[in-house]
Amino acid sequence: MDRAADTVPPDYTRAATGIDGAGAHPLPMALPVFGQATAAALVLGAAGLLALPALPPVWALATGALAGLAAWARGRRWRRVAGAGLFGAALCGLHVAHSLGLQLPGDLERADVVLSGHVVQLPVHEAQRTRFAFRVDEGGAVPEALRGRLLRLTWYDPRGSQPDARRHALEPGSHWRFTARVRAPRSLRNPGWMDGEKHAMAQRVTAVGYVRTREAVEQGGGRRGVDGWRAAVADRIDAVVDGDASRYVRALAIGDTRALGDLDWEALRATGLTHLIAISGFHVGMVGGFFALLATGLWWCVPALARVIPRPQGAAAVALLASTGYAAVAGWELPTVRTVLMIAVVAAARLARRPLRIADALAYAATAVVLVDPMAVLSAGFWLSFAGVAWLVWCLPDARELSAARGLVASQWVATLGLLPLTATLFGQASLAGPIANLVAIPWWSLVVVPLALVGTGLEALQSGAGDWAWQAAASAFALSWPLFERLAASPFALWWLPEPHVLALPLALLAAFWMLLPRGVPGKALAALLWLPLLWPDRRLPAPGAVEAVVLDVGQGLAVLVRTATHAVLYDTGPAVPDGFDAGERVVVPALHALGVRRLDAIVVSHGDADHAGGFPAVQRRFAAPVLFAPQWDRVPGAAPCLAGSAWQADGVTFRFLHPDVHFPDFRNPSSCVLRVDTAYGRLLLPGDIDAVVERLLVHRDADALQAEVVVAAHHGSRSSSDPAFVAASGAHYALMSAGHGNRFGHPHAPVAERWTDAGSVVLGTATGGALGIRLDADGPAVDAQRLRRPRLWDAAQRDARWARSRAALSYSDD
């Protein structure tokens, strides 16, 4: 029995439970208004709303919120829990409606707007661009739809000229006035776990865009505020800490991860250390505990303070103030907010002199987070942080009775097994080296590296330069351990990538983890391990021999097509990449291949050397190292064989054949693209690259029958220079697919080209509106589906654009 329960007055017990002293039940037992059951219902209600494909009407959400609040406040037993769940769903829906309503209206899409406002958060300065968050001023000549709103902007260097030094003056808190081209938030949609539209909604981002540097730019002041101080501390750390460790010390000291690159994050994910390198709840708790100890010592030294406020209550208040200040310095990330709320709950209980269990504190913190921002449940950190603490509280209630070594091993085992279902579902990966790495990193970093980094930050807050020695010591301590973790990360078995699982895989894996973490002697633990199979070994739905599955990935203005047979995988083009900028190979193609369950690539075909088709090749080849490469003989792709017309190979009853170019065709860039035809037992897929109408007519003249295909990826992204009428007629395609970026500056795909394919009887689909396009050529006949339609989301930008188009059409019709 919980000892805390012995201290609760009998009257409180009767009021909370409906049980009188004689053990009778004169009233139905009532759950507490704020308890573990209602907190779980509140969280699940918000998560359930966000899983809907479309948002209910606002009036229905408002009605649901009132009804749910009434049932939550006055209901009994299950009615109170149901009311909390309904209120959580309705409240989250209202927040979603408000956030989506903040997004840029269609009449300002791609408009040049004069903006004035302040830089917020920490700008990210890169080789050829700077990315920053911008809070627009409330007044002035700014359009009303942008006043006071948060924008995500980019400042690019001019093409072919010297870098623009003005962008390096972008500092947190500085005031600027410039012209920006803005558009509503929109991202690519592919298999995988990155959803930029969801992130923009959760952050209440109104628009994204870039600075028009040819227009007037005015700066009105330098860095200021908390973020300005964070930027100054980051500069100081860079100045006094030598070597690669400086960027990690910045992350640990102030939560500044701007200097960590893709390879750094890859190593941290492979070793399961991402939760330690960025500011986490543990760091905030450490700061709060340290100041609580300082306050305790102060009360011992100055006994007169107890006349004002008792020592336990004073220490709790000081810990709350210190942790709140540090969370602000760290940028108010969700794990820090969660810890501050838990400390606030404990401090409130101390001030009220009421007993409090850790589980109740966790429930109160979850309730507070959802009430303040119900869309926080979209964050992976929300689930990992609360679930991690919940597993530890349930499995190790007597952890303080264990030795340090046993406690560390036991907590690591519980955290690894308990959080594996969530990490596998949220990120599609599991770190096999994580348990080993954490056994070293948790004590060393938590007890040595992190405290030194925090001491340096605290001393720097008192006097500039006072914390230099602590940061240098933290860097030295970090450098001692990092080579071990780099070796672990380099192991081919360090990180296990998992395909996207079935929707039931997560609850089955959670049930398995729960069963396996039950006390010793509980039967059936070996059988419970079978419940992991749907998550760790999901059905990849590979095609049968003689059939093909293909996916035209949504890479923006470029092309990348995965073609899979029963046991082989071929990638045609690798997406675009910009030097020192967006790399679709790293950010889109590789994650999508992992999500689709591709374990290896048997071949990569680079249709030609333009950056929109070959830019992502280095990133893809670094991860998958395909043994066979094809490219035009003039494009110098290292290790590639020429894709000469007539050459072919077979895999699982499927024939891959090149139709162009021949050995005598000159180097004409786009017209020299590799044209690949995939022949299956159930139809053909044609991939013509960026060939133009001249080459298309040449192919028709050479062998029109060879161009027949059920599915064709239209050449050159649907450009006017391609899709010749004779080529379109010769293909006889059931489906014509267009890979082009939404609103690209070239206008691809052009409307006359799409109409040409439609008039020929083809169904035209594009990645710009549908996201990644899945193709199956099997016994059921050719079929194509779109990612945005197969997995609709209530924050989907294509739905928003369609609604704007319908409203504008209706307005235009009414005006007529």
Side-chain angles (χ1 to χ4, degrees), residues 237-451:
I237 293 174
D238 282 341
V240 301
V241 177
D242 297 328
D244 294 336
S246 63
R247 61 182 183 270
Y248 293 99
V249 174
R250 282 170 53 178
L252 293 171
I254 56 172
D256 179 12
T257 60
R258 293 176 297 169
L260 299 179
D262 291 333
L263 295 180
D264 295 322
W265 287 114
E266 182 179 340
L268 291 169
R269 287 193 299 267
T271 51
L273 299 178
T274 52
H275 67 105
L276 291 177
I277 200 63
I279 295 297
S280 67
F282 174 78
H283 301 149
V284 179
M286 184 180 295
V287 171
F290 175 74
F291 276 89
L293 290 176
L294 287 182
T296 300
L298 180 62
W299 256 255
W300 279 108
C301 295
V302 187
L305 292 174
R307 299 176 182 176
V308 180
I309 181 173
R311 176 173 51 81
Q313 285 72 25
V318 171
L320 177 59
L321 291 175
S323 59
T324 302
Y326 183 66
V329 170
W332 289 112
E333 297 294 334
L334 182 62
T336 66
V337 174
R338 183 257 303 168
T339 305
V340 169
L341 289 174
M342 291 189 68
I343 295 175
V345 169
V346 174
R350 283 288 183 89
L351 293 173
R353 293 176 173 83
R354 301 296 295 269
L356 183 67
R357 297 177 299 174
I358 297 179
D360 292 329
L362 187 68
Y364 297 154
T367 300
V369 169
V370 175
L371 291 179
V372 172
D373 182 12
M375 286 194 294
V377 300
L378 288 171
S379 167
F382 176 91
W383 297 99
L384 294 176
S385 58
F386 280 102
V389 177
W391 277 117
L392 292 174
V393 170
W394 180 67
C395 295
L396 302 174
D398 301 322
R400 285 176 291 185
E401 300 178 3
L402 301 176
S403 64
R406 289 186 61 193
L408 178 61
V409 173
S411 61
Q412 184 60 39
W413 163 248
V414 170
T416 300
L417 189 63
L419 295 181
L420 178 58
L422 287 175
T423 55
T425 303
L426 295 171
F427 305 113
Q429 61 188 21
S431 175
L432 303 182
I436 300 174
N438 276 273
L439 285 177
V440 178
I442 288 178
W444 181 246
W445 288 7
S446 300
L447 300 178
V448 179
V449 181
V450 173

Side-chain angles (χ1 to χ4, degrees), residues 307-652:
R307 299 176 182 176
V308 180
I309 181 173
R311 176 173 51 81
Q313 285 72 25
V318 171
L320 177 59
L321 291 175
S323 59
T324 302
Y326 183 66
V329 170
W332 289 112
E333 297 294 334
L334 182 62
T336 66
V337 174
R338 183 257 303 168
T339 305
V340 169
L341 289 174
M342 291 189 68
I343 295 175
V345 169
V346 174
R350 283 288 183 89
L351 293 173
R353 293 176 173 83
R354 301 296 295 269
L356 183 67
R357 297 177 299 174
I358 297 179
D360 292 329
L362 187 68
Y364 297 154
T367 300
V369 169
V370 175
L371 291 179
V372 172
D373 182 12
M375 286 194 294
V377 300
L378 288 171
S379 167
F382 176 91
W383 297 99
L384 294 176
S385 58
F386 280 102
V389 177
W391 277 117
L392 292 174
V393 170
W394 180 67
C395 295
L396 302 174
D398 301 322
R400 285 176 291 185
E401 300 178 3
L402 301 176
S403 64
R406 289 186 61 193
L408 178 61
V409 173
S411 61
Q412 184 60 39
W413 163 248
V414 170
T416 300
L417 189 63
L419 295 181
L420 178 58
L422 287 175
T423 55
T425 303
L426 295 171
F427 305 113
Q429 61 188 21
S431 175
L432 303 182
I436 300 174
N438 276 273
L439 285 177
V440 178
I442 288 178
W444 181 246
W445 288 7
S446 300
L447 300 178
V448 179
V449 181
V450 173
L452 286 171
L454 297 182
V455 167
T457 304
L459 294 176
E460 181 69 17
L462 298 176
Q463 181 179 356
S464 179
D468 294 354
W469 66 268
W471 288 327
Q472 293 168 352
S476 300
F478 178 87
L480 289 175
S481 61
W482 186 243
L484 169 63
F485 303 135
E486 283 185 319
R487 285 193 290 271
L488 286 174
S491 169
F493 306 104
L495 196 61
W496 185 9
W497 289 97
L498 301 170
E500 284 185 319
H502 190 272
V503 66
L504 295 178
L506 176 60
L508 290 176
L510 288 173
L511 177 60
F514 169 80
W515 200 265
M516 295 174 71
L517 289 173
L518 287 173
R520 296 178 184 177
V522 175
K525 289 191 175 183
L527 293 177
L530 297 177
L531 297 177
W532 289 99
L533 294 179
L535 178 67
L536 302 182
W537 287 276
D539 180 13
R540 293 183 291 161
R541 298 183 65 246
L542 294 174
V548 150
E549 178 194 58
V551 181
V552 181
L553 298 176
D554 182 12
V555 294
Q557 188 61 22
L559 181 65
V561 184
L562 171 67
V563 182
R564 288 201 294 187
T565 64
T567 61
H568 293 77
V570 176
L571 184 65
Y572 182 91
D573 281 340
T574 57
V578 178
D580 299 311
F582 176 74
D583 186 340
E586 180 73 31
R587 302 296 177 87
V588 176
V589 179
V590 169
L593 295 180
H594 286 312
L596 291 168
V598 176
R599 298 187 176 96
R600 73 176 190 278
L601 287 175
D602 298 284
I604 295 178
V605 179
V606 177
S607 67
H608 63 298
D610 283 0
D612 57 337
H613 292 252
F617 172 75
V620 174
Q621 184 67 354
R622 184 176 68 249
R623 300 291 187 89
F624 285 91
V628 179
L629 306 174
F630 293 100
Q633 55 185 328
W634 307 275
D635 289 315
R636 297 175 180 175
V637 177
C643 55
L644 297 177
S647 56
W649 74 95
Q650 289 188 338
D652 303 316

